[in-house]
Amino acid sequence: MTVMNHKAKAMGLFLKSRRERLSPEGAGLKYASGQRKTPGLRREEVSVLAGVSVTYYTWLEQGRDLNPSREVINSIAQALQLSPAEKSHLFQLWNTHASETLLAAPALVDPQIQKIIDQLAYPSHITNERTEVLAWNKAAQEMFFDFTSIPVQERYFIRLLFEDTEMRRRIVNIEEFSNYSVGVFRTYYDKHRGDPWFETIVEHLLQNYAEFERIWKQYDVQLKKVKRVFLQPPGAHQPVSYDIQSLVNLADNPDVHICIYTPVTADPTSDY
């Protein structure tokens, strides 16, 4: 199966998940009362709303290797009432010009970029789309995890987020942060469908962590954006709130992200 076929399959599963979430009432449809066997909308209802044939929409959900136009994808996105993040994800899966190569082995971080984050007083780390922690500063090691304590092949943030109990304790809004992190990781997973590493790590997390399985089955997707996180420093009585600033392309590599946690003034209405 080619990478393009993998992406078509991922797009089909994504469309199905969005269709099953949208109720007829929410879509503005009227239908006869009675029990519906299909959760959410039926395929024929989406086809009417999107202005495409039932057969063609069914083929898209089945992951057939078709070549829909931008207009068709946009119409389906509107019919399914996709959020900006979901619409962006759909177009990424549809994009036939996207790279068809698997993620290469992690590149060494530019020493100059390492020097930059070393000079920051705020927790900062550099990851790729596998969430591999490629570099970090002293504050990140103190606030999150001693990354030097584990082998390179185990330094994946998505794994540590569910495996390390101390990290989970320090992240006060762990449920919200986990939902967001899995949503972002889901976009990478779909982008790299067919990459054995992604398949292996997801299977490992599904088998070992019920919380990851619950979030994964929701099929939420998130774009990298400013996100609030509340961290409990070791020995501190009160958590500190940070905004996560994600910067990309600073290493001539679009798959590398620099995350900087900038402290913010506590919100007096917050529960934290």
Side-chain angles (χ1 to χ4, degrees), residues 152-168:
V152 173
Q153 62 270 25
E154 295 179 12
R155 292 178 192 157
Y156 295 98
F157 201 90
I158 193 67
R159 280 190 58 171
L160 293 172
L161 184 60
F162 290 93
E163 293 180 350
D164 188 72
T165 55
E166 178 60 19
M167 179 186 286
R168 294 182 63 81

Side-chain angles (χ1 to χ4, degrees), residues 38-262:
T38 304
L41 295 181
R42 299 188 177 100
R43 286 173 175 170
E44 56 266 28
E45 291 169 336
V46 176
S47 71
V48 170
L49 292 170
V52 298
S53 73
V54 178
T55 300
Y56 194 78
Y57 178 76
T58 299
W59 286 349
L60 287 175
E61 273 202 10
Q62 290 174 345
R64 298 201 186 190
D65 197 5
L66 306 174
N67 188 27
S69 67
R70 175 177 289 273
E71 291 72 23
V72 166
I73 295 298
N74 193 56
S75 294
I76 292 174
Q78 291 179 353
L80 294 174
Q81 302 181 13
L82 301 188
S83 68
E86 291 170 338
K87 185 174 180 179
S88 176
H89 185 60
L90 176 61
F91 271 94
Q92 176 180 269
L93 295 175
W94 163 81
N95 183 11
T96 57
H97 300 293
S99 172
E100 296 187 4
T101 59
L102 301 180
L103 277 179
L108 295 177
V109 172
D110 188 329
Q112 295 303 316
I113 296 180
Q114 178 70 66
K115 289 181 180 179
I116 291 174
I117 66 173
D118 282 342
Q119 295 178 40
L120 296 176
Y122 310 141
S124 306
H125 57 73
I126 301 174
T127 60
N128 57 18
E129 293 191 345
R130 290 178 177 171
T131 75
E132 183 174 11
V133 184
L134 304 173
W136 58 91
N137 64 5
K138 181 180 179 181
Q141 182 154 315
E142 292 175 347
M143 291 295 292
F144 280 105
F145 185 81
D146 181 6
F147 299 107
T148 61
S149 67
I150 57 176
V152 173
Q153 62 270 25
E154 295 179 12
R155 292 178 192 157
Y156 295 98
F157 201 90
I158 193 67
R159 280 190 58 171
L160 293 172
L161 184 60
F162 290 93
E163 293 180 350
D164 188 72
T165 55
E166 178 60 19
M167 179 186 286
R168 294 182 63 81
R169 185 194 67 78
R170 293 182 182 183
I171 302 175
V172 178
N173 57 332
I174 184 63
E175 182 176 356
E176 177 188 9
F177 188 76
S178 297
N179 285 331
Y180 167 74
S181 299
V182 174
V184 171
F185 185 70
R186 185 89 200 208
T187 67
Y188 300 152
Y189 173 83
D190 279 0
K191 177 181 177 181
H192 299 288
R193 274 294 180 97
D195 186 326
W197 182 89
F198 279 92
E199 301 296 338
T200 299
I201 193 68
V202 168
E203 185 61 27
H204 168 77
L205 292 170
L206 286 173
Q207 291 182 358
N208 291 280
Y209 302 97
E211 183 184 3
F212 179 86
E213 181 182 23
R214 176 185 61 79
I215 300 172
W216 191 255
K217 287 182 176 180
Q218 293 173 359
Y219 212 135
D220 285 329
V221 295
Q222 294 281 347
L223 298 178
K224 279 275 188 179
K225 60 183 179 181
V226 176
K227 185 67 179 177
R228 185 69 53 88
V229 63
F230 299 87
L231 299 177
Q232 183 77 41
H237 297 292
Q238 295 294 330
V240 180
S241 58
Y242 292 89
D243 277 344
I244 309 172
Q245 311 283 343
S246 180
L247 310 176
V248 298
N249 253 340
L250 295 187
D252 295 324
N253 187 338
D255 297 330
V256 173
H257 304 258
I258 300 180
C259 294
I260 302 174
Y261 296 72
T262 57

